[in-house]
Amino acid sequence: MNKTLKIALLAIAYLAIFILGGTSGLIHPMCYAYVGALLPLLFALVYLPTTCTIQNFGAATVLNGFLLILFGAAGEADISLVVGLILLTAAAEIIRFFCGYSEIKGIRFSFIPFALSFFAYTAHWWTDTEGSLAAAVAEMPAGYDAMMKPVIDNTPALIAVIVLTIPVAIIGMRIAERLMKNQIEKLHR
């Protein structure tokens, strides 16, 4: 498969996972706020082949950059999303640079900040609570904002879920490695 086409398909798959996470809020606001802890199980299936294909700077940048462009065009890129994705992407790229682009160790460690990317999307609930509640009144069924408020106010649960994302990311990457053995054969161990 053409390298450019492969990266484009992976970026579209990454977007689809993000949209899946975003729509989880239709079930309950708690799903939207905390699903980011489980998404690394799916993100790893996109990140691993992307990093194996782009064995230099740019794997995390391509994926999160694609999101930023599309979310910006759709009017969904608030400041918390932009800053959060830039910082998480920079951390992932820096880790890969120092650990080695063609090293599985570099991919594993760089995936940890990358795996937190969905929390940059949901961060507006905590950085712009009033705006988020107002948007819920306008866009969601009646009473949704009342269900959101206790989720937003439960900061210890948010911190616990963000911390939980780290071991989930490690497990997700290990699963992806087992499923995609041929992807990592060209890497150093």
Side-chain angles (χ1 to χ4, degrees), residues 112-126:
I112 293 171
F114 184 85
L116 295 166
S117 294
F118 190 78
F119 289 105
Y121 181 61
T122 61
H124 63 92
W125 277 18
W126 292 270

Side-chain angles (χ1 to χ4, degrees), residues 14-16 18-19 22 32 64-78 81-82 85 118 121:
Y14 183 56
L15 171 67
F18 244 79
I19 291 171
Y32 176 80
N64 277 340
F66 180 68
L67 284 182
L68 279 175
I69 291 167
L70 291 181
F71 282 35
E76 290 288 321
D78 62 5
L81 174 68
V82 173
L85 282 184
F118 190 78
Y121 181 61

Side-chain angles (χ1 to χ4, degrees), residues 6-150:
K6 180 177 182 180
I7 297 301
L9 291 174
L10 288 165
I12 291 167
Y14 183 56
L15 171 67
I17 296 167
F18 244 79
I19 291 171
L20 175 70
T23 58
S24 70
L26 297 173
I27 300 168
H28 191 277
M30 192 180 308
C31 296
Y32 176 80
Y34 304 141
V35 74
L38 298 176
L39 291 180
L41 295 170
L42 298 174
F43 287 167
L45 300 173
V46 172
Y47 189 74
L48 179 63
T50 302
T51 55
C52 289
T53 304
I54 303 174
Q55 290 189 24
N56 51 29
F57 175 85
T61 302
V62 166
L63 294 173
N64 277 340
F66 180 68
L67 284 182
L68 279 175
I69 291 167
L70 291 181
F71 282 35
E76 290 288 321
D78 62 5
I79 192 70
S80 60
L81 174 68
V82 173
V83 170
L85 282 184
I86 289 173
L87 291 175
L88 293 168
T89 301
E93 294 289 2
I94 290 167
I95 291 169
R96 269 191 84 209
F97 173 78
F98 284 109
C99 292
Y101 290 115
S102 61
E103 301 286 335
I104 191 67
K105 175 179 75 170
I107 295 170
R108 287 175 183 156
F109 287 132
S110 70
F111 183 61
I112 293 171
F114 184 85
L116 295 166
S117 294
F118 190 78
F119 289 105
Y121 181 61
T122 61
H124 63 92
W125 277 18
W126 292 270
T127 60
D128 181 20
T129 301
E130 293 303 319
S132 297
L133 291 171
V137 169
E139 299 170 3
M140 300 303 280
Y144 193 84
D145 59 325
M147 290 190 302
M148 279 174 61
K149 190 71 170 118

Side-chain angles (χ1 to χ4, degrees), residues 161-179:
V161 168
I162 290 172
V163 170
L164 175 66
T165 305
I166 296 169
V168 171
I170 293 167
I171 292 166
M173 184 53 67
R174 294 300 182 148
I175 292 170
E177 289 173 28
R178 290 182 194 271
L179 292 174

